[in-house]
Structures are given as C-alpha cells and as structure tokens.
C-alpha cells in the first residue's frame, strides 16, 4: 500500500503515504499484542485446567499482563482514531470539500472504504 493515497468524501482531500504508514505501523503493533494475548490466554487455560497450585498462582501475573496488553490495544486504537480524525480534517480542508468531510472514503484505486464490519 506504499505510495497509496486515501481520498475522503466526494473527491475531497487526500491522506498521504506517511499517514498511511503510521496507521500500518500501529496496526502491526496491535496485531503483535493480540498474538501475544492469544498465547497468554492459552497458557492461562492450561494452568487452570492443571489445577496445580503453582500454576494457578502464576495465572495471577499472566492475567495482569493480559489486562495491561488490552489497555495498550485500547490506547493504540484511541491514538489511531485521533490521528485519523486529524488527518481527515486536514485533508478535507486542503481538498476544498465543502461537505464538511462527510461521505465515504475512497482509495486511490477507486475502491471505497466501508463502515460495515463482517462478523464470523
């Protein structure tokens, strides 16, 4: 996606590649934390099933680590949200979009970014 730009609104402003790279970096950080959480949860489950007192005691620390990781993910998403809002405001004002930045996102390849998430 390097070199891509993200178009906002109806031909409004653009978000440059540097901003996109920042988003990608943050998403990689989030994914790494989520991968680590999966491992933590597996270990917590194994310790719980073993019912060995030392393993159950270890779970206290693992659960604290899991909670801290979840806080980090929340913070990263909050930072992403703030960054995205700022970049769309800048892009809208630079692009002369009089609609106030509304409308669907469009990538430089013409595809639209949707707001709907697919759930399994």
């Amino acid at each position: 996606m390097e070199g891509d730009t993200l178009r906002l609104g109806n031909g409004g402003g653009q978000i440059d590649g540097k901003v996109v790279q920042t988003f990608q970096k943050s998403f990689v950080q989030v994914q790494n934390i989520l991968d680590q959480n999966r491992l933590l949860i597996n270990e917590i489950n194994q310790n719980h099933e073993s019912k060995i007192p030392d393993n159950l005691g270890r779970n206290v620390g693992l659960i604290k680590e899991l909670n801290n990781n979840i806080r980090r993910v929340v913070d990263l998403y909050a930072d992403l949200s703030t960054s995205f809002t700022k970049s769309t405001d800048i892009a809208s004002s630079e692009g002369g979009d009089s609609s106030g930045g509304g409308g669907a996102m469009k990538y430089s390849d013409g595809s639209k970014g949707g707001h709907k998430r697919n759930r399994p």
Side-chain angles (χ1 to χ4, degrees):
M1 200 169 170
E2 189 173 330
D4 286 347
T5 57
L6 178 65
R7 294 183 190 276
L8 304 172
N10 299 322
Q14 295 180 353
I15 300 176
D16 67 15
K18 185 176 179 181
V19 174
V20 172
Q21 286 176 350
T22 301
F23 290 153
Q24 286 176 327
K25 180 182 174 187
S26 294
F27 286 127
V28 167
Q29 287 178 308
V30 166
Q31 188 59 55
N32 288 337
I33 295 169
L34 294 176
D35 290 340
Q36 182 182 9
N37 284 357
R38 184 181 339 102
L39 296 174
L40 286 170
I41 290 168
N42 287 338
E43 186 174 351
I44 290 166
N45 285 335
Q46 288 173 357
N47 289 345
H48 181 73
E49 289 172 5
S50 77
K51 298 182 181 171
I52 298 172
D54 286 344
N55 289 351
L56 295 174
R58 177 165 162 67
N59 274 0
V60 173
L62 294 174
I63 291 168
K64 286 180 182 179
E65 184 177 350
L66 182 64
N67 285 335
N68 286 333
N69 285 353
I70 291 168
R71 277 190 208 95
R72 286 174 51 206
V73 168
V74 169
D75 290 343
L76 283 166
Y77 276 126
D79 292 345
L80 272 171
S81 177
T82 301
S83 296
F84 185 76
T85 301
K86 287 180 183 177
S87 63
T88 56
D89 288 346
I90 291 169
S92 293
S93 65
E94 288 176 354
D97 183 12
S98 61
S99 68
M105 297 184 307
K106 291 183 183 176
Y107 292 95
S108 57
D109 67 358
S111 63
K112 292 183 179 182
H115 296 283
K116 184 176 181 181
R117 290 186 0 193
N118 295 328
R119 296 189 184 254

